[in-house]
Amino acid sequence: QLQLVESGGGLVQPGGSLRLSCAASGFTLDYYAIGWYRQAPGKQRELVATITNGGNTNYADSVKGRFTISRDNAKNMVYLQMNSLKPEDTDVYYCNKARGPYFTWGQGTQVTVSS
């Protein structure tokens, strides 16, 4: 069964850091360019970072310089290191292919930035 599971979210104060993890089961992530997305209720899903299977990365302007995407193909994992978090980073974060057709979306992991 193909499955993506996101973890690592939580409540953090502005300026804090979190590291999100994306684990895949049933398939090998390193065949694909992978993206981290975020979505607030009632809003469109936003692509915030991508990493190709060769390790090239790209970021949305809103997170550039603060977020870092990485992958560990041996562990079949993709990560998102988030530093200098802001209240506007509060969202549910998801991982999936960097472009469609997408795998079935996981449940995501909630990130809340608040004092």
Side-chain angles (χ1 to χ4, degrees):
Q1 180 181 359
L2 306 182
Q3 190 174 12
L4 290 163
V5 179
E6 302 91 351
S7 62
L11 173 63
V12 63
Q13 292 187 341
S17 298
L18 284 172
R19 187 194 195 207
L20 305 184
S21 298
C22 171
S25 61
F27 64 99
T28 303
L29 272 177
D30 61 357
Y31 291 146
Y32 305 99
I34 298 297
W36 278 98
Y37 301 77
R38 63 187 183 187
Q39 186 173 25
K43 292 192 176 180
Q44 199 140 4
R45 191 166 284 155
E46 175 191 10
L47 178 61
V48 298
T50 61
I51 186 166
T52 68
N53 52 3
N56 293 319
T57 60
N58 201 14
Y59 300 92
D61 288 343
S62 57
V63 306
K64 203 170 291 184
R66 300 188 298 121
F67 290 11
T68 303
I69 188 171
S70 61
R71 66 193 306 159
D72 185 336
N73 291 336
K75 294 182 178 180
N76 211 24
M77 300 280 291
V78 175
Y79 305 99
L80 185 68
Q81 178 67 44
M82 306 188 297
N83 299 328
S84 302
L85 282 161
K86 304 176 181 180
E88 52 263 42
D89 294 319
T90 296
D91 266 324
V92 180
Y93 285 71
Y94 303 86
C95 62
N96 210 312
K97 291 163 67 178
R99 61 189 64 82
Y102 299 103
F103 297 121
T104 300
W105 292 90
Q107 293 193 342
T109 185
Q110 174 72 48
V111 171
T112 302
V113 185
S114 175
S115 54

